[in-house]
Amino acid sequence: MKLLASVMEQVIKRNPNEPEFHQAVREVLESLEPVAEKHPEWMAAGIFDRIVEPERQIIFRVPWVDDSGKVQVNRGFRFQFNSAIGPYKGGIRLHPSVYSGIIKFLGFEQILKNSLTGLPMGGAKGGSDFDPKGKSDNEVMRFCQSFMFELARHIGPDTDVPAGDIGTGGREIGYMFGMYKKLRNEFTGVLTGKGLTWGGSLARTEATGYGLCYFMDEAMQTIKGKSFKGATVVISGSGNVAIYAAEKVFQLGGKVVALSDSNGYIYDPDGIKLPTIQQIKEVERKRISEYIKYHPKATYTEGCSGIWSIKCDIALPSATQNEIDEASAKKLVANGCFAVGEGANMPSTPEAIEVFLKAGVVFGPAKAANAGGVATSGLEMCQNSMRYSWTFEEVDAKLKDIMINIFKNSSAAAKAYGFGNNLVAGANIAGFEKVASAMFAQGITY
Ligand code: NDP
Ligand code: 2IT
């Protein structure tokens, strides 16, 4: 890095002990060197210095009472990163590992991802170190209500529109929406991922996983003349993204042979039976190890990283950040894996990405490949504003169009700047250029 080295230095200095944030910013700045060279006016206007600093960071106490009557205290976050192209938009992560470095990396990625969708959405992320696992519905409800009691004063349908992420699904969005509505006495599209009877969009539940497959299908066909048809696919995670990615892989003629959760992974060479997974994970909220009770020919292995040693054609990491390291990437390539699509945010380490790019693997980077979720959130906002709803087929068709366009725009940007088929660089550049030109046009806002 040359022109942008001082931006990176400042990020490290100003955000100490936040390695995930440094990692996300470094990858983007490395791609943007030629953009900085081409646009001295953006350099002069401090666009690069400004885009790495959140516009606003809100950190708050979330007290709630557990079922035994004990007071619990969690920490809540909402980082409103960039509003150059639309209201702040991004999910809420509920997981014990959440701290400001995680929210910053996710919020920063969200700026460029939302830009790539072509819809008018700025970037934000929120969350808490609350762990919904093992909590009763009433405990989750009390936490969500307390979280929203504070968050409500910072968000709004034209200000900031949160949604789901790890640990935040339909149940949590429902409790948060109920509290927001009561506090404001307003029924608005302030959250996305809502239930279908109260303003949610058809196909939002499926959108991230489906979109990932639409993106990868287009990328594989264009770059390698290949597709999901007849392919063996490994997917990590067994949450919202993983389950609907798996459903679409089967629809497109592929076979998913492995899925995981934070304890371990299952391998079913005949193909994973998705209804069993949905019963275990979505209905019973149990561990994926239960699967082998129903399908004794399948195996369960403790630990997560071993899933990448299963021979496959296509890998779709859809659990969490940094789940594929260099060693796992090398195993995938050695076993003949020809495409990797990131369903999760930043699931591959920088070393792993390098292995994939060097080996000529078709690599779909998170901010492009998993943008279908937030894109469909954008479509939910659109339907809420119109007080209307589209059919499943209408939303799904728009989602597919958006994903194909994201591929085309990322691919074109990579080629225009001499990055060949490197979609990491292409997505970073295509996402950035739109936000940068909007920031430039709006002046140095105080
Ligand atoms: P869910 O909470 O529905 O599922 C998360 C899955 O990943 C679970 O199977 C979970 O296992 C596993 N997991 C979570 N944390 C870890 C960990 N530290 N180590 C190993 N496994 C883990 O979340 P989503 O499916 O919504 O999100 C998955 C990824 O996709 C995240 O990176 C998220 O940011 C990203 N994403 C989500 C979008 C959405 O619309 N939901 C949109 C775009 C990206 P367990 O059950 O044991 O916790
Ligand atoms: O990472 C993501 O893009 C999401 N968790 C979805 C965000 C959204 O606003 O739908």
Side-chain angles (χ1 to χ4, degrees):
M1 236 187 280
K2 285 189 219 133
L3 286 174
L4 301 175
S6 64
V7 178
M8 192 65 231
E9 274 164 34
Q10 180 68 13
V11 164
I12 293 169
K13 198 167 145 207
R14 197 174 258 157
N15 306 275
N17 307 316
E18 297 185 351
E20 297 86 357
F21 182 45
H22 304 167
Q23 183 183 333
V25 172
R26 184 175 291 111
E27 181 209 282
V28 170
L29 293 181
E30 278 170 358
S31 310
L32 294 182
E33 274 289 329
V35 181
E37 248 170 66
K38 190 178 160 197
H39 288 282
E41 77 284 10
W42 289 353
M43 286 292 283
I47 301 288
F48 300 90
D49 310 271
R50 282 191 277 150
I51 202 168
V52 296
E53 180 68 11
E55 289 176 15
R56 188 176 297 110
Q57 303 180 48
I58 302 150
I59 302 182
F60 51 101
R61 179 172 65 192
V62 189
W64 56 279
V65 180
D66 71 18
D67 286 346
S68 72
K70 189 167 179 295
V71 177
Q72 301 283 346
V73 178
N74 285 100
R75 181 170 285 184
F77 300 86
R78 186 72 184 168
F79 288 3
Q80 299 172 331
F81 230 110
N82 195 295
S83 60
I85 64 167
Y88 305 110
K89 179 86 195 85
I92 291 174
R93 177 173 292 192
L94 300 181
H95 193 272
S97 63
V98 165
Y99 77 107
S100 53
I102 295 278
I103 302 298
K104 264 183 223 162
F105 115 66
L106 290 164
F108 179 70
E109 290 280 290
Q110 202 81 44
I111 305 171
L112 304 183
K113 183 195 304 194
N114 293 2
S115 165
L116 283 170
T117 66
L119 300 172
M121 299 181 288
K125 201 82 186 191
S128 174
D129 56 5
F130 174 77
D131 186 0
K133 233 177 275 166
K135 304 285 192 303
S136 70
D137 283 351
N138 276 329
E139 288 177 324
V140 170
M141 180 174 73
R142 288 193 293 273
F143 167 82
C144 289
Q145 291 176 336
S146 178
F147 184 81
M148 184 51 84
F149 205 94
E150 170 65 33
L151 188 65
R153 70 186 91 216
H154 307 289
I155 63 175
D158 295 314
T159 305
D160 182 359
V161 182
D165 193 78
I166 290 177
T168 306
R171 174 182 62 170
E172 291 74 17
I173 292 292
Y175 296 147
M176 289 181 196
F177 182 79
M179 192 65 185
Y180 182 88
K181 182 163 63 66
K182 183 163 179 85
L183 287 167
R184 288 287 174 96
N185 193 27
E186 272 176 14
F187 195 112
T188 65
V190 69
L191 293 162
T192 58
K194 298 185 292 298
L196 296 177
T197 54
W198 41 281
S201 172
L202 285 158
R204 174 62 187 90
T205 304
E206 293 84 355
T208 312
Y210 277 26
L212 171 66
C213 294
Y214 295 148
F215 180 94
M216 289 309 292
D217 209 37
E218 185 70 16
M220 292 188 295
Q221 303 231 16
T222 309
I223 298 171
K224 284 222 157 127
K226 296 199 174 182
S227 74
F228 281 102
K229 208 167 173 60
T232 299
V233 182
V234 166
I235 305 181
S236 62
S238 49
N240 174 263
V241 179
I243 287 176
Y244 294 96
E247 186 170 277
K248 186 51 76 179
V249 168
F250 283 117
Q251 286 174 14
L252 294 175
K255 183 166 77 170
V256 179
V257 295
L259 285 175
S260 62
D261 63 16
S262 54
N263 292 95
Y265 64 91
I266 50 162
Y267 173 58
D268 189 340
D270 296 338
I272 300 278
K273 316 299 177 289
L274 276 184
T276 311
I277 294 290
Q278 288 180 288
Q279 178 64 27
I280 296 168
K281 299 304 285 187
E282 292 182 337
V283 180
E284 298 170 13
R285 297 181 188 274
K286 286 190 177 155
R287 304 283 78 209
I288 205 165
S289 53
E290 299 276 313
Y291 183 87
I292 56 172
K293 288 189 190 158
Y294 302 94
H295 306 288
K297 269 175 44 196
T299 56
Y300 171 73
T301 310
E302 275 289 323
C304 298
S305 66
I307 195 170
W308 308 120
S309 58
I310 297 171
K311 188 172 163 49
C312 65
D313 302 308
I314 300 166
L316 303 175
S318 303
T320 195
Q321 63 276 352
N322 292 327
E323 51 171 318
I324 301 186
D325 62 8
E326 185 176 10
S328 297
K330 282 183 174 161
K331 269 185 221 153
L332 282 165
V333 170
N335 282 334
C337 171
F338 63 76
V340 175
E342 295 190 316
N345 285 307
M346 209 166 77
S348 316
T349 64
E351 298 76 24
I353 295 176
E354 188 142 341
V355 170
F356 294 138
L357 295 180
K358 273 205 181 125
V361 167
V362 177
F363 183 75
K367 62 174 73 67
N370 75 29
V374 75
T376 308
S377 281
L379 299 176
E380 182 172 330
M381 291 166 73
C382 193
Q383 294 167 83
N384 291 164
S385 298
M386 292 191 290
R387 303 200 187 286
Y388 187 71
S389 36
W390 291 316
T391 63
F392 188 96
E393 290 70 25
E394 284 173 308
V395 180
D396 191 37
K398 289 182 204 302
L399 166 65
K400 192 168 178 182
D401 252 24
I402 289 172
M403 297 315 294
I404 290 174
N405 276 325
I406 294 176
F407 169 72
K408 287 188 172 152
N409 292 338
S410 303
S411 173
K415 294 209 159 69
Y417 282 91
F419 284 103
N421 282 327
N422 179 344
L423 296 172
V424 176
N428 287 336
I429 294 169
F432 174 78
E433 285 192 324
K434 181 176 167 190
V435 178
S437 68
M439 288 173 74
F440 187 72
Q442 290 169 27
I444 300 159
T445 40
Y446 294 101

